[in-house]
Amino acid sequence: MGSPEDRGGRDAELVSSLGAVRARIAQACAEVERDPQGVTLIAVTKTRPASDVATLARLGVLDVGESKDQEARAKIAELAELANPPIGLRWHLVGRLQTNKARSVVSYAHAVHSLDRPKLARALADAADERRDDSLEVFVQISLDADPERGGVAERDLAALVDSIAQRPQLRLRGVMAVPPIGADPEAAFARLAHLSERVRAAHPQADAISAGMSDDVEAAVRNGATHVRVGSALLGRRKPVFS
Ligand SMILES: *Cc1c(COP(=O)(O)O)cnc(C)c1O
């Protein structure tokens, strides 16, 4: 995990970037008269070491986001080996998920933000039934441009997917999630998402959460009602490009 001096430098970096991100959230909340307590900051730690997760946990950030099951599992195992492992972490799966990962994911995840098809709802519910006592929190990922490459349910299929989730007691429908389409104005994208959230809530009042906003567009998301922001690079530094 690096020498103590390296850690000290990294810790100072994270203290400063966390302060900056929290200030951005607070400022956006002030603009629309929202309570910052209503916005959960999820630190997206993909490609970053377990030591960063431990540092952020010490700074009070207990919500951790990962894109890939395998990477999440490896980090959880590494953290468990520490002399003082962080306690109370909540792991959020935010990336596209294959059904064959469902059994693994339900064993550690607090929430899945990328539920976008009935087949995955069924796989997660069946796995949760087998492997956990509490329900799994889920967000329905909506595709705002119906680009099948990037995940998300098309708007026309949203109501049916939501209803199929609501019928499964192993899943707790928290709300909606989206990533703005490439090149789109985030303000317009998040306004559309807020509208879709209202439609979902009309049928399922408890599904009042909105997972939206990343490093570049946190403010626009908060202004449009985001309750969960997923921030990676603004907290942890820029990632190396990943080609997959
Ligand atoms: C990587 C990722 C994030 C964080 O992105 P940044 O731009 O680094 O803040 C948020 N949400 C999802 C779905 C991601 O894949």
Side-chain angles (χ1 to χ4, degrees), residues 44 46 67 94-95 177 179 214-216 230-234 239:
V44 178
K46 62 190 182 198
S67 282
V94 302
M177 178 274 210
V179 178
M214 310 192 290
S215 290
D216 291 339
R230 311 179 308 270
V231 180
S233 45
R239 294 178 295 274

Side-chain angles (χ1 to χ4, degrees), residues 163-175:
D163 290 342
S164 84
I165 294 166
Q167 286 164 14
R168 300 185 183 278
Q170 303 89 348
L171 305 179
R172 178 167 168 234
L173 180 64
R174 287 290 278 118

Side-chain angles (χ1 to χ4, degrees), residues 155-220:
E155 288 183 23
R156 64 177 173 281
D157 299 323
L158 174 61
L161 176 58
V162 160
D163 290 342
S164 84
I165 294 166
Q167 286 164 14
R168 300 185 183 278
Q170 303 89 348
L171 305 179
R172 178 167 168 234
L173 180 64
R174 287 290 278 118
V176 296
M177 178 274 210
V179 178
I182 293 167
D185 167 21
E187 200 83 43
F190 294 138
R192 179 77 196 148
L193 182 62
H195 169 74
L196 294 169
S197 165
E198 264 175 47
R199 270 186 17 201
V200 168
R201 266 181 293 154
H204 305 281
Q206 80 287 1
D208 58 359
I210 300 178
S211 170
M214 310 192 290
S215 290
D216 291 339
D217 51 26
V218 158
E219 291 88 347

